[in-house]
Amino acid sequence: PDPQEEKKPEEPKQKPQPPVPQPKVVEKKRLPAGQPVHLKITNASFNLVSIAKKIEVLSVNGLDYEHTLLGEDSHGEIGISSLQVLDVLQIDDIKQELVWKRPYLEFEEQVIELGEVKASARAQIGIGKNGTGRFPFLMSFDIDRQKLESSQLLEQSDTTISAGAVLARLRVNGLLPQPDTWRADGMLAAEDLVVDELKLIHDASFDELYLPFVLRQGALQWARARVISEDISIMGNGMVSMRDGHLSVTRLVVSPEVASMLAEGMRNMGIIDDRDFWWYDLETPDRKVRDLVIYGPLLEPEIDAGSGHKAVPLYLMIDAFYDSLKGEGSEAVLGNKPAPIPSAATN
């Protein structure tokens, strides 16, 4: 070899790296299986009632359930003929498998169908040595973003809804026998929402619906809730509870056409008279605004919508709103339904 040739420097030898320690997988110790208890319930019924408010909150009929609990893991099935919540929601013919995985009784995560919507749900409740007398529970419910085809709002309702997109989340936990410990966080959102009421002469269309809410110490609270459309927008914050009733502030922002419709509906219901100046301009006359306060007992809330902000029953305001949507000319604002073809007998 040529002695003048430069020698290439040798690459330094790398020291062997010690193996990276892997975290140990710690298996959570489960309580040992206890003495098994065979539970059998046949055709039972029960009601959950608020004695102070004289309200039936929950009604369950035709409950059948058979399961071996507290021992080794096992499967059981529960059946309910009908379940009704506050005279608002009713579900019939419920069949569901339950799993005992000590110390929890679980409703394992699965996809369920609610009309045209697919949702996922999961729930569990603690039973046994650590849960005796306390019964800690948790529940989750999710509707992933999806399109909602035309669906009936309630089983005996003439109202159907559809949406370009709908999304929902709900988390609930607490101690089952102590409602004041229940905590919930939830959200309901929709885009391109259409509400179709057979008794109305038009569909109500909304660009956006957003309703976030929390439950703390028996009070249901919401903030920055909104329903937005070109001609009417509703925004509000508030709370409602069995003990304290209602307290909320709602802002209405509407077009002049909708403002005239709603004012006419309130005059027809005797809420205001012809001399009342009910709406205010929002910066410019092409948008009208009114802030409303709802307050009072749970079953008899009032709203300061009367003459001079006088309080009137909330149901009167709702009736006036509904009446205005049925009035002539409202189809020009929120969209037409085809008018019925007159028969020869009516001419």
Side-chain angles (χ1 to χ4, degrees), residues 46-260:
F46 69 88
N47 300 325
L48 178 62
V49 178
S50 169
I51 297 176
K53 301 297 181 181
K54 298 180 180 179
I55 301 173
E56 186 173 79
V57 179
L58 177 69
S59 176
V60 176
N61 293 293
L63 171 64
D64 295 314
Y65 179 44
E66 186 169 5
H67 205 165
T68 300
L69 304 174
L70 304 183
E72 299 293 344
D73 295 354
S74 62
H75 293 252
E77 184 178 80
I78 187 170
I80 299 175
S81 297
S82 68
L83 181 150
Q84 186 166 323
V85 182
L86 289 174
D87 289 331
V88 173
L89 175 65
Q90 179 167 331
I91 305 175
D92 298 322
D93 299 324
I94 300 172
K95 296 288 185 183
Q96 180 58 50
E97 183 181 63
L98 297 179
V99 179
W100 166 250
K101 291 182 179 179
R102 62 184 193 278
Y104 297 106
L105 180 63
E106 297 187 358
F107 171 92
E108 295 187 317
E109 184 171 359
Q110 59 184 276
V111 175
I112 57 177
E113 293 187 4
L114 300 173
E116 301 296 326
V117 175
K118 289 186 177 180
S120 61
R122 177 177 178 268
Q124 67 175 203
I125 179 171
I127 302 175
K129 183 177 180 181
N130 291 343
T132 301
R134 294 173 60 83
F135 297 102
F137 77 96
L138 65 84
M139 182 186 73
S140 65
F141 178 86
D142 298 276
I143 297 176
D144 292 332
R145 185 182 176 90
Q146 59 191 273
K147 185 176 181 180
L148 173 62
E149 302 293 347
S150 182
S151 178
Q152 197 169 11
L153 184 60
L154 295 173
E155 189 170 338
Q156 298 178 343
S157 171
D158 293 328
T159 303
T160 60
I161 59 174
S162 61
V166 64
L167 173 70
R169 296 281 184 270
L170 177 63
R171 302 288 184 271
V172 187
N173 64 73
L175 303 178
L176 191 62
Q178 302 175 32
D180 282 349
T181 67
W182 297 359
R183 297 168 59 91
D185 296 270
M187 176 274 294
L188 173 65
E191 298 173 1
D192 300 325
L193 178 68
V194 177
V195 181
D196 183 6
E197 168 64 66
L198 296 179
K199 294 179 182 179
L200 303 182
I201 57 178
H202 59 77
D203 298 340
S205 301
F206 301 95
D207 300 322
E208 178 190 5
L209 177 147
Y210 179 64
L211 177 59
F213 57 90
V214 298
L215 176 70
R216 297 290 187 274
Q217 296 182 338
L220 182 65
Q221 308 166 43
W222 60 95
R224 291 176 292 177
R226 58 186 181 269
V227 182
I228 306 295
S229 75
E230 183 177 351
D231 290 292
I232 179 169
S233 297
I234 305 172
M235 296 155 281
N237 305 319
M239 62 164 287
V240 61
S241 71
M242 298 287 287
R243 181 182 58 195
D244 300 322
H246 294 258
L247 180 59
S248 67
V249 177
T250 301
R251 165 163 286 195
L252 301 180
V253 179
V254 302
S255 65
E257 294 82 5
V258 172
S260 298

